[in-house]
């Protein structure tokens, strides 16, 4: 199907940009001498993940067991479920392992570790578990010097569970915006996770894998001594938040929302789009960054940026396109009804690729010649 | 299935609360002497809509043609597609009408009106179109005194299109929070829409329907002289934004997200939940209201509110539950790990029922005895 024929709103992936993003990250990993395990929560799309694996990725990271089940069904065995395990989900994880999925679980507390050990003992299953390490205080995990680290390690190691490694995610990197700060956080993430592994090993507990990563720290890391693998997700499509963090150019962003102009409020300088928050998502991740892109950055159908315009507001199925009023428009500011006539199609770059993609049942993967194919993505848990 | 057995995260509808909300709105409409046409974009769920119709609703309002197609397939004929029509969508609307769907379209500009007239003429179809009126300046529509109103009316009326009526939506009601302000806006919405209808009639253009509504103005209206029908959506479930607007109590909110405690950061006073922004949505609609509920208000599994706690942060699949620190906790502030142990299930009231529901493929409709059934909802456009 040609781009002009796709009904709006629709989520478009620019395949050439995506392939460039994949190649860039894989090259960085190769240079750093580490394996790469992409986080597939960004796209939940087997076509995208196949491209990541074809470029050299080894295994995947998932955020839900539904992702694990879907990607295992599509032929991927090596899967890290990177959200702290709770006992009630063990039967579902067990079923996957019994089907041959090399599913690794994550814990950051003794309660869950003991529950996994007990369940494994009861069902004759050797689970593989990684311990989540907190290296930047933003979310879950055990800090490298906490006694709990060794306590959890011992519960696993001494009760028939394979302690596969340690993993951390420096998600606070999303709040930074200089190369120096990102490089410093990448080193903090590396050093903290390596330290945690070393403490386990010093206590006689095996810890083969040291897994770190977030898109900004993965791209900013200068060296990853002691690390065995890196995880990152949003790099594959990038978005306006990542642009503000400083790790991609606007024309690296591979996801956009195709929208149609459906009306105007000429006196206010508004064009009304059929891409509201249901299409763009409610993510306003750039609102606290140096450049606030509202609900998204408009581009022409061919991808040309429209500086000086922004999606400034959104209702469920209505977006408001207006001038930023900062003098950055490339054209003489014309009447909004003539600049954006009814029926005109635009592409809107999103704040957050993971959130915007989740609003759509499918992507339209657009090739450089303007043709497109549908790539399914899944929804729910 | 019993509540305890539902996998988390999950979207729950408290059926008794929903029925109470439906009965309350229908009683208000009966008192005001107007027909009621619920907006089904809130739930996109046929089971909910059947309950609305059983209570007395006449026809439905939709925000996408996918909703129109799905609800028509489920047996509902009288459907208002309440987003300004663009020419490219006419074949899809035409197909619905040819199948027997009494689909009404909406326009607010001469370009779209002329395109509908031309398409109808070409295909021998008499479309029914309503003109969108702008009564509060928040989004689309033609203001009652604009010349464009009569221009659009004439284009339709003189070119073989049935002008079915005028409609308006005072969405700015979401920004108010006193009964007086809501009543005043309800009157502004009523008067503006009635005035638009009168101007059309005075010009010799028929305008049988006068349709107004938003949940807050529908509930606040003291009289609706000249109005024939009201539309509202979120009232059926309510949410924290509506609570702050002042049109529902917290225990009227019929939608909650079932979540499990998956970890802690005890020193920070955090319990980590498996309901992040993918489950709650990124909607932070209460952030600019008098009471900011973060990403949601926690309750016990039985629905008992937990004052003094809030979901203060969210990553994709992680929510952070913490104390509000405002002294409103009903209990002595205990250690977070004991108050919310790993595996504990909670129900989180959402900011915005339309946005949170859209994150889930299905609702679990929970009866007063704690049993539940699945109600499907649909996704995409």
């Amino acid at each position: 199907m040609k781009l002009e024929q796709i009904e709006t709103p629709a989520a478009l992936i620019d395949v050439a940009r995506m392939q460039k993003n994949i190649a860039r990250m894989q090259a960085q990993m190769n240079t750093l001498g580490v394996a790469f395990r992409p986080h597939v929560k960004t796209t939940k799309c087997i076509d995208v993940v196949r491209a990541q694996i074809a470029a050299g990725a080894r295994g995947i990271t998932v955020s839900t067991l539904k992702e694990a089940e879907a990607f295992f069904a599509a032929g991927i065995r090596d899967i890290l479920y990177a959200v702290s395990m709770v006992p009630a989900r063990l039967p579902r994880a067990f079923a996957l392992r019994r089907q041959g999925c090399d599913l690794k679980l994550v814990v950051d507390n003794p309660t869950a570790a003991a529950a996994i050990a007990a369940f494994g003992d009861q069902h004759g299953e050797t689970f593989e578990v990684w311990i989540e390490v907190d290296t930047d205080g933003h979310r879950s995990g055990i800090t490298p010097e906490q006694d709990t680290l060794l306590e959890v390690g011992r519960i696993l190691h001494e009760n028939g569970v394979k302690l596969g490694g340690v993993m951390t995610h420096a998600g606070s990197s999303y709040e930074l915006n200089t190369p120096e700060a990102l490089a410093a956080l990448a080193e903090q993430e590396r050093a903290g996770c390596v330290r945690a592994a070393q403490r386990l090993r010093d206590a006689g507990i095996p810890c083969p894998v040291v897994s770190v990563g977030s898109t900004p720290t993965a791209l900013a890391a200068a060296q990853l001594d002691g690390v065995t693998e890196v995880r990152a997700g949003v790099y594959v499509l990038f978005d306006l938040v990542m642009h503000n963090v400083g790790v991609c150019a606007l024309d690296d962003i591979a996801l956009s929302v195709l929208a149609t102009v459906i009306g105007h409020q000429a006196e206010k300088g508004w064009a009304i789009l059929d891409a509201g928050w249901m299409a763009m998502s409610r993510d306003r991740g750039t609102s606290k960054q140096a450049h606030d892109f509202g609900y998204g950055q408009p581009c022409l159908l061919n991808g040309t940026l429209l500086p000086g315009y922004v999606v400034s507001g959104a209702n469920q199925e209505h977006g408001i396109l207006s001038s930023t009023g900062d003098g950055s428009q490339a054209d003489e500011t014309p009447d909004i009804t003539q600049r954006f006539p009814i029926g005109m199609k635009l592409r809107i770059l999103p704040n957050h690729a993971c959130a915007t993609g989740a609003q759509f049942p499918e992507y339209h993967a657009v090739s450089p010649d303007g043709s497109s194919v549908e790539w399914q993505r899944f929804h729910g848990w």
Side-chain angles (χ1 to χ4, degrees), chain A residues 32-96:
Chain A
L32 292 167
V34 292
F36 182 57
R37 181 188 292 280
H39 205 317
V40 302
K41 74 181 178 69
T42 299
T43 64
K44 304 196 184 192
C45 172
I46 188 64
D47 305 277
V48 174
V49 174
R50 285 198 178 117
Q52 292 170 303
I53 290 172
R58 295 185 222 161
I60 61 171
T61 313
V62 300
S63 69
T64 63
L65 286 177
K66 181 160 186 174
E67 291 163 55
E69 290 158 353
F71 285 107
F72 177 65
I76 297 172
R77 279 190 72 248
D78 179 357
I79 300 177
L80 171 67
Y81 171 43
V83 175
S84 201
M85 194 66 190
V86 279
R89 268 195 267 279
L90 280 165
R92 203 166 159 188
F94 176 57
L96 271 169

Side-chain angles (χ1 to χ4, degrees), chain A residues 261 296 344 359:
Chain A
V261 177
M344 182 180 185
Q359 303 299 101

Side-chain angles (χ1 to χ4, degrees), chain A residues 155-235:
Chain A
I155 291 170
L156 297 169
H157 182 58
E158 295 169 5
N159 291 283
V161 178
K162 178 182 175 186
L163 202 176
V166 286
M167 58 82 75
T168 193
H169 166 57
S172 65
S173 59
Y174 284 39
E175 296 156 23
L176 306 177
N177 61 8
T178 68
E180 298 73 22
L182 289 172
L185 183 60
E187 174 55 20
Q188 176 182 322
E189 183 185 42
R190 181 202 71 80
C193 206
V194 170
R195 169 68 182 153
Q198 196 56 52
R199 285 193 70 216
L200 288 163
R201 292 167 188 154
D202 288 348
I205 304 167
C207 181
V209 171
V210 179
S211 174
V212 305
S214 73
T215 286
T217 52
L219 292 169
Q223 58 91 5
L224 288 176
D225 292 353
V227 168
T228 65
E229 70 161 38
V230 168
R231 308 176 326 281
V234 75
Y235 81 93

Side-chain angles (χ1 to χ4, degrees), chain A residues 213-293:
Chain A
S214 73
T215 286
T217 52
L219 292 169
Q223 58 91 5
L224 288 176
D225 292 353
V227 168
T228 65
E229 70 161 38
V230 168
R231 308 176 326 281
V234 75
Y235 81 93
V236 68
L237 299 178
F238 283 127
D239 53 31
L240 295 166
V241 165
M242 286 295 113
H243 172 67
N244 276 333
V245 170
V247 294
C248 71
L250 286 173
D251 62 11
D252 291 328
I253 299 175
L255 179 66
S256 60
V257 172
L258 187 68
T260 302
V261 177
I262 64 169
H264 303 94
Q265 293 290 10
E267 289 174 20
K268 295 174 180 154
W270 293 356
I272 311 290
L273 307 178
D274 65 354
W277 61 252
M278 186 63 83
M280 300 307 302
S281 90
R282 270 292 195 198
D283 199 297
R284 287 283 290 106
T286 61
S287 64
K288 291 172 189 162
Q289 294 185 308
H291 187 143
D292 184 351
F293 286 96

